[in-house]
Amino acid sequence: MSHLADPDDTTPLLRYDTCSDDSRDEGYRSRWRSIRVMYFTMFLSSVGFTIVITSLWPYLQKVDDSANASFLGWVVAAYSLGQMLASPLFGLWSNYRPRGEPLVCSIVINMSANIYYAYAYLPTTNNKLHILMSRAFVGFGAGNVAVVRSYVAGATSLKERTGAMANMSACQALGFILGPALQACLSFIGEHGVTVKVIDLQLNMYTAPALLAASFGLVNILLVVLVLREHRVDDHGRQVRAINFTAEEREDVSEETEETIDQVAVLISNVLFFIVMFIFAVFETIATPLSMDMFAWTRKEAVLYNGIIICCIGFESILVFLVVKVASQRVGDRPVLLAGLVVIFCGFFILLPWGNHYPKIQWADVKNNTLVSWTSKASSASNSSLEPTGCPYEQTWCQYTPAISLAQYISSDILIGVGYPACNVMSYTLYSKILGPKPQGVYMGWLTASGSGARTLGPIFVSQAYTVLGPRWAFSLICGIVAGAIVLLSSVYRRLVAFSVRHGRIIQ
């Protein structure tokens, strides 16, 4: 346990902390109002990503017949690639200017990109490329996550940090829940929906979520402009001058932070965060194609059922964040991170296919439809309108790889829903503590970029490995990566300590 001069251990999320000596101070109240704006920004960033994730594959298939599962990996990766490029830029911007500037700019980009996504069906050719570009720009706008994390890290004391990061992750999980939930609700609009001729818009189950995400962005801009103020505190929670204005103030800060950061710990933290995000990117990318292949779900069923499953995982994640806040105070951040990786390993191990039951092959449907068409024209018309379901015959592994049962799929979801949020919050909580009181905008930009890089490579990796080799090889490789992360964390366990602890300011 860390011992600080300030006894306040609380990190209020929905109320002010009346037990704190500063609770009646306007600066304290303004600081927590601003932190809550950051929570809301993180929430909306999560909504903006997940609100279309379960319908992305069916939408891609609908607007462009040439799109396949491999291209889906590139589309999902485009979001993260855009975020990877933008995060260091926004982080650097936030180090020298008020955070409101990069936040408003990024949100405007995000809103415009969601509108672009909603109109991706309009071009007569290469619709899949327009979807890919729109998702890349949505990701570029989401680069503001680096600004959000650096702000919260700089506006909280060391004892407040874990709780504040857990609260931010809880808001991210709420967005993770609400996004698929909204998509599941909007799926009842149907694939055809309604046409708004004045603006040449097809409002359906695929375009409505993106437009709703754009409207959320407008609310976010208003909050940033009207509520957000610059705040910075030291490790003990004492208010210090913000770093974002004058050179004189930056010199004052540099005098207080002459000690060096452990760059090895920074590098290892980035690697571990990369692995955590890579693993989850694989999971979220493969969920819809895997369920359609293994359970013979239609596009609409896959959107609805996976939306419900992801919502349940989101609720589970919120409970995990509450437990993590308590567990980290009792046993520390590093044991929680290690335990989370072990749980993730178990989740993917369970997902390995076994048994004697094989998936339904999609070519059987095509064959049956052709056979029936010889019987009567009426039957042919009826059957040709049916959507082929099952594992596509082009994926040769479908014919010899055992099917993954629904029980395996749900059990894996539950375990990953426990392990991922624990690893996620502990990764950047540890990272922010390792960095200490120095300006964290650029460092958080690199952490976000490493996570975005993982979410770029993860979908590409799993879409290729899954399409060509099948789930057995794909998930076996993931298990190996997670095992490697566990070994890496164990080998550098003693170096991952807070800046203040490392330099003897605080006794742990």
Side-chain angles (χ1 to χ4, degrees):
M1 293 293 291
S2 299
H3 302 283
L4 301 175
D6 185 356
D8 181 19
D9 289 334
T10 59
T11 51
L13 177 59
L14 299 176
R15 61 178 177 81
Y16 297 124
D17 181 14
T18 55
C19 296
S20 172
D21 293 335
D22 298 329
S23 62
R24 290 180 295 275
D25 182 74
E26 177 57 30
Y28 176 85
R29 293 195 296 268
S30 175
R31 177 164 68 97
W32 280 103
R33 280 197 298 267
S34 298
I35 289 173
R36 292 186 188 105
V37 171
M38 295 296 97
Y39 291 164
F40 187 69
T41 303
M42 182 67 83
F43 165 78
L44 290 185
S45 178
S46 182
V47 169
F49 177 72
T50 60
I51 199 169
V52 300
I53 195 65
T54 58
S55 65
L56 183 57
W57 175 231
Y59 185 39
L60 194 59
Q61 289 180 308
K62 180 179 174 63
V63 301
D64 198 323
D65 293 336
S66 65
N68 55 26
S70 295
F71 190 80
L72 171 66
W74 288 101
V75 173
V76 176
Y79 174 96
S80 301
L81 180 61
Q83 190 179 50
M84 180 177 67
L85 295 175
S87 295
L89 299 178
F90 287 133
L92 182 63
W93 188 351
S94 72
N95 267 8
Y96 294 96
R97 297 290 300 169
R99 270 94 164 194
E101 293 179 8
L103 285 173
V104 170
C105 177
S106 62
I107 296 167
V108 169
I109 293 172
N110 196 287
M111 291 170 59
S112 303
N114 273 305
I115 295 171
Y116 180 22
Y117 177 88
Y119 280 98
Y121 63 88
L122 275 182
T124 55
T125 58
N126 295 321
N127 301 80
K128 64 182 183 180
L129 295 180
H130 288 284
I131 290 180
L132 185 145
M133 289 298 298
S134 66
R135 292 302 294 168
F137 281 115
V138 170
F140 194 91
N144 61 18
V145 169
V147 182
V148 172
R149 287 174 176 160
S150 67
Y151 184 94
V152 174
T156 53
S157 68
L158 195 63
K159 295 184 79 173
E160 292 172 331
R161 190 81 45 80
T162 300
M165 291 295 185
N167 288 343
M168 188 162 61
S169 295
C171 291
Q172 190 175 25
L174 282 173
F176 191 71
I177 295 169
L178 186 59
L182 290 171
Q183 172 67 88
C185 293
L186 293 171
S187 67
F188 293 102
I189 297 176
E191 288 192 321
H192 301 291
V194 295
T195 301
V196 184
K197 294 183 179 179
V198 178
I199 54 176
D200 202 12
L201 173 66
Q202 290 182 10
L203 192 64
N204 55 36
M205 62 184 283
Y206 304 125
T207 61
L211 295 174
L212 185 59
S215 66
F216 287 156
L218 183 60
V219 176
N220 199 4
I221 288 176
L222 292 175
L223 286 173
V224 169
V225 172
L226 299 176
V227 180
L228 182 67
R229 298 293 181 269
E230 291 292 336
H231 290 282
R232 181 173 176 269
V233 300
D234 62 15
D235 283 347
H236 295 272
R238 296 185 294 256
Q239 190 80 23
V240 296
R241 285 179 290 184
I243 60 174
N244 306 71
F245 295 104
T246 66
E248 290 79 6
E249 289 173 344
R250 283 194 293 273
E251 288 175 3
D252 291 342
V253 172
S254 63
E255 289 175 2
E256 299 171 358
T257 58
E258 292 178 354
E259 296 94 340
T260 59
I261 297 172
D262 185 350
Q263 297 296 336
V264 173
V266 169
L267 177 61
I268 296 300
S269 297
N270 274 277
V271 172
L272 290 173
F273 190 68
F274 176 92
I275 293 172
V276 169
M277 297 306 295
F278 181 90
I279 292 163
F280 191 71
V282 166
F283 172 73
E284 66 187 2
T285 301
I286 206 61
T288 300
L290 179 68
S291 60
M292 291 175 71
D293 291 348
M294 295 296 161
F295 314 132
W297 288 348
T298 63
R299 290 194 296 265
K300 188 172 182 178
E301 288 173 338
V303 170
L304 178 60
Y305 299 153
N306 280 302
I308 293 171
I309 290 171
I310 292 176
C311 285
C312 293
I313 293 175
F315 281 116
E316 178 189 20
S317 298
I318 293 176
L319 295 177
V320 172
F321 291 133
L322 296 175
V323 172
V324 161
K325 290 173 68 173
V326 177
S328 63
Q329 291 177 356
R330 292 181 177 274
V331 301
D333 298 335
R334 294 171 295 176
V336 175
L337 176 58
L338 185 60
L341 288 171
V342 172
V343 173
I344 289 175
F345 177 86
C346 295
F348 276 99
F349 187 80
I350 286 175
L351 206 53
L352 293 173
W354 57 277
N356 297 318
H357 177 67
Y358 295 88
K360 176 185 177 184
I361 307 300
Q362 194 174 111
W363 62 260
D365 286 344
V366 178
K367 181 179 178 181
N368 289 338
N369 287 344
T370 305
L371 182 61
V372 173
S373 67
W374 287 96
T375 308
S376 68
K377 292 182 179 179
S379 297
S380 175
S382 174
N383 284 306
S384 62
S385 65
L386 295 175
E387 177 186 334
T389 59
C391 202
Y393 71 93
E394 295 93 345
Q395 296 176 169
T396 55
W397 56 262
C398 295
Q399 301 174 39
Y400 58 81
T401 302
I404 295 171
S405 68
L406 185 60
Q408 282 178 273
Y409 185 62
I410 298 297
S411 299
S412 175
D413 290 344
I414 293 171
L415 289 173
I416 294 172
V418 171
Y420 168 73
C423 291
N424 181 274
V425 68
M426 286 299 102
S427 293
Y428 59 78
T429 297
L430 269 172
Y431 188 69
S432 69
K433 290 180 178 181
I434 289 168
L435 296 178
K438 293 178 180 287
Q440 297 190 7
V442 174
Y443 279 104
M444 283 296 179
W446 287 119
L447 183 71
T448 304
S450 68
S452 300
R455 293 176 70 168
T456 301
L457 296 176
I460 297 171
F461 161 80
V462 73
S463 59
Q464 297 293 331
Y466 177 81
T467 302
V468 177
L469 302 174
R472 176 173 288 160
W473 274 100
F475 299 144
S476 294
L477 291 171
I478 293 298
C479 287
I481 292 171
V482 179
I486 293 172
V487 172
L488 177 63
L489 175 58
S490 301
S491 64
V492 296
Y493 191 85
R494 294 184 180 275
R495 296 195 72 150
L496 302 181
V497 295
F499 182 94
S500 298
V501 173
R502 179 170 175 258
H503 291 286
R505 294 182 183 178
I506 296 172
I507 301 172
Q508 189 175 46

